[in-house]
């Protein structure tokens, strides 16, 4: 939650109303975030489906049904939630699974919604089970069931909630219970990695907003190292812009390469941890298979971080494989690392 948010109502509810005027710390990310469908690049299938769903709901004068977005970090789950709010002129209240600690927190958030509001819950897989069960009737029938008292004298009271739309995001769909998943009646959407062309378009758009001139080669170089991920592309663009500014030079391919080499990001976008992960599998465990827990211990990383942050891109590149006995490294990765290939999988 933003500590700068002085809206006491929002603060007391563990929610955040995000807009630059409210002093959001991520002002820049907010400005790079597309505010209209026309500016939202890629994820065509999701976009097409959402546009129909939102238009139909508006025609019926009803809030859209609940939506769930999942996929690796940085692909635009939060961006989509903000975009839907802007396009439908709804107020977005934003919170996250770990921020909702007690049933009372959720009750407070839900009872303070206004009709037509969008409630965005990020990292919904981290919501605890008791709280999840309070969410079911709220999503299904717009009612909040609260138990008052304990033992034989306990009573349930039912509060009617204003009509609202829940938009949730997760990097870990497998951790969501089937009952929770089934309540996203508007749909469950998987965000895919972007193509190189889409990433280049995103970089071009961001460069315009940041008022930096970037040539085609520099754009290609950033895209190549962006892990097919808009958040990474924007981050690399900003760091390259910083170097160009300090050097008083143009944002050329050379500047990009220097900036990204300084950050330890190689030509396919791997950082030091990605490379360490591959090296550990190759050198310590003879190419694998190695279990996730062993890998996490060897790298001093959380298992969830390895699964959420590092593995999706390494899998996408075909640098690692997941087998029932653990992770293995491929010859393609060996080649990239300058290691001897074994001729098994290329
Ligand atoms: N910024 C982050 N995701 C984006 C997208 N899909 N299109 C345009 N800009 C973005």
């Amino acid at each position: 939650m933003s500590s700068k948010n002085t809206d006491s109502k929002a603060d007391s509810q563990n929610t955040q109303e995000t807009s630059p005027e409210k002093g959001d710390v991520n002002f820049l990310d907010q400005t790079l975030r597309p505010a209209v469908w026309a500016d939202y690049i890629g994820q065509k299938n999701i976009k097409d489906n959402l546009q129909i769903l939102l238009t139909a709901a508006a025609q019926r004068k009803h809030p859209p049904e609940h939506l769930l977005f999942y996929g690796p970090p940085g692909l635009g789950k939060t961006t989509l939630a903000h975009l839907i709010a802007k396009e439908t002129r709804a107020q977005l209240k934003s919170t996250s699974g770990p921020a909702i600690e007690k049933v009372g927190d959720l009750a407070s958030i839900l009872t303070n919604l206004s009709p037509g509001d969008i409630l965005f819950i990020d990292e919904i897989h981290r919501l605890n089970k008791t709280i999840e069960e309070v969410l079911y009737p709220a999503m299904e029938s717009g009612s909040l069931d609260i138990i008052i008292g304990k033992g034989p004298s306990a009573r349930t009271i039912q509060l009617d909630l204003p009509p609202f739309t829940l938009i949730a995001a997760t990097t870990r769909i497998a951790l969501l219970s089937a009952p929770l998943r089934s309540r996203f009646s508007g749909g469950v959407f998987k965000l895919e990695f972007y193509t190189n062309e889409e990433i280049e378009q995103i970089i071009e758009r961001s460069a315009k907003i940041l008022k930096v001139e970037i040539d085609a080669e520099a754009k290609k170089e950033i895209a190549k190292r962006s892990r097919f991920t808009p958040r990474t592309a924007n981050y690399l663009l900003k760091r390259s812009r910083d170097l160009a500014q300090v050097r008083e030079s143009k944002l050329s391919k050379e500047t990009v390469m220097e900036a990204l080499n300084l950050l330890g990001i190689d030509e396919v976008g791997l950082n030091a941890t990605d490379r360490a992960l591959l090296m550990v599998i190759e050198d310590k465990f003879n190419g694998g298979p190695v279990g996730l827990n062993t890998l996490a211990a060897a790298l001093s990383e959380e298992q969830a971080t390895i699964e959420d942050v590092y593995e999706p891109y390494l899998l996408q590149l075909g640098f690692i494989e997941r087998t029932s006995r653990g992770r293995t490294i491929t010859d393609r990765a060996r080649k990239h690392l300058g290691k001897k290939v074994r001729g098994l999988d290329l």
Side-chain angles (χ1 to χ4, degrees):
M1 185 165 56
S2 163
S3 57
K4 282 195 178 176
N5 193 334
T6 50
D7 183 331
S8 61
K9 187 174 144 196
D11 264 355
S12 67
Q13 289 169 229
N14 283 356
T15 60
Q16 182 184 16
E17 286 167 41
T18 37
S19 66
E21 306 79 69
K22 293 218 167 190
D24 196 273
V25 283
N26 292 319
F27 175 72
L28 198 56
D29 289 333
Q30 295 270 322
T31 61
L32 292 184
R33 217 170 241 166
V36 290
W37 284 121
D39 283 350
Y40 190 89
I41 294 151
Q43 311 292 349
K44 184 174 179 327
N45 187 262
I46 296 182
K47 208 165 125 171
D48 290 348
N49 277 295
L50 287 178
Q51 281 175 321
I52 293 169
L53 185 132
L54 299 177
T55 308
Q59 285 171 353
R60 293 195 299 268
K61 299 199 183 348
H62 220 270
E65 288 172 76
H66 309 302
L67 303 165
L68 176 64
F69 298 129
Y70 73 97
L75 295 189
K77 300 181 287 294
T78 307
T79 300
L80 273 177
H82 281 260
L83 184 50
I84 291 170
K86 289 227 171 75
E87 286 277 348
T88 58
R89 296 173 206 277
Q91 178 169 234
L92 184 93
K93 300 236 171 111
S94 187
T95 185
S96 73
I100 307 173
E101 290 174 1
K102 304 187 295 287
V103 169
D105 295 338
L106 181 64
S108 156
I109 291 167
L110 291 172
T111 52
N112 278 290
L113 291 172
S114 304
D117 276 1
I118 291 176
L119 174 62
F120 177 61
I121 306 183
D122 200 6
E123 295 190 83
I124 192 153
H125 61 274
R126 293 179 63 187
L127 206 60
N128 89 37
K129 288 283 161 280
T130 327
I131 299 172
E132 202 179 294
E133 280 166 20
V134 175
L135 201 52
Y136 297 160
M139 292 174 75
E140 229 160 39
S141 49
S143 75
L144 184 65
D145 300 342
I146 301 177
I147 301 168
I148 296 182
K150 276 194 180 141
S153 63
R155 294 179 298 126
T156 306
I157 57 163
Q158 249 183 12
L159 294 178
D160 281 339
L161 295 169
F164 73 101
T165 300
L166 174 66
I167 302 183
T170 181
T171 48
R172 310 288 295 280
I173 186 78
L175 296 186
L176 253 62
S177 68
L180 180 57
R181 250 186 287 176
S182 70
R183 282 167 172 88
F184 289 95
S185 49
V188 176
F189 297 95
K190 178 179 187 225
L191 279 87
E192 303 285 349
F193 281 115
Y194 291 68
T195 65
N196 252 321
E197 293 71 38
E198 289 165 350
I199 292 291
E200 282 186 34
Q201 285 177 46
I202 290 171
I203 295 168
E204 187 158 322
R205 176 179 174 273
S206 299
K208 273 200 193 111
I209 295 169
L210 296 172
K211 296 190 170 57
V212 291
E213 243 182 77
I214 180 167
D215 65 36
E217 281 209 309
K219 204 165 54 188
K220 269 207 161 54
E221 195 60 36
I222 294 181
K224 209 172 81 182
R225 302 182 189 216
S226 291
R227 310 172 77 97
F228 313 123
T229 302
R231 184 187 295 160
T232 310
N234 286 333
Y235 170 72
L236 300 183
L237 171 67
K238 287 189 265 175
R239 296 297 72 81
S240 305
R241 179 266 326 253
D242 287 351
L243 187 69
Q245 182 188 314
V246 170
R247 292 273 161 82
E248 296 181 26
S249 66
K250 286 180 76 173
L251 190 45
S252 63
K253 180 177 173 183
E254 287 67 37
T255 316
V256 169
M257 285 171 68
E258 190 181 344
L260 303 195
N261 290 342
L262 268 170
L263 291 169
I265 291 161
D266 72 19
E267 61 278 14
V268 296
L270 301 191
N271 62 27
T273 312
D274 296 307
R275 286 190 297 273
L277 190 151
L278 295 172
M279 290 294 214
V280 163
I281 302 178
E282 175 68 359
D283 293 342
K284 270 204 174 158
F285 299 98
N286 193 27
V290 51
L292 176 64
N293 50 353
T294 312
L295 197 54
L299 289 164
S300 307
E301 288 280 352
E302 298 266 342
Q303 291 186 27
T305 311
I306 293 183
E307 280 192 292
D308 287 2
V309 179
Y310 300 108
E311 285 190 341
Y313 182 59
L314 293 172
L315 285 164
Q316 180 78 12
L317 286 179
F319 277 13
I320 58 165
E321 278 169 3
R322 269 187 195 158
T323 72
S324 55
R325 290 187 302 138
R327 278 65 175 162
T328 59
I329 182 173
T330 64
D331 268 353
R332 190 174 287 179
R334 288 192 183 96
K335 219 169 156 188
H336 179 73
L337 295 171
K339 297 269 181 189
K340 200 160 163 258
V341 300
R342 300 187 184 187
L344 299 174
D345 57 43
L346 272 188

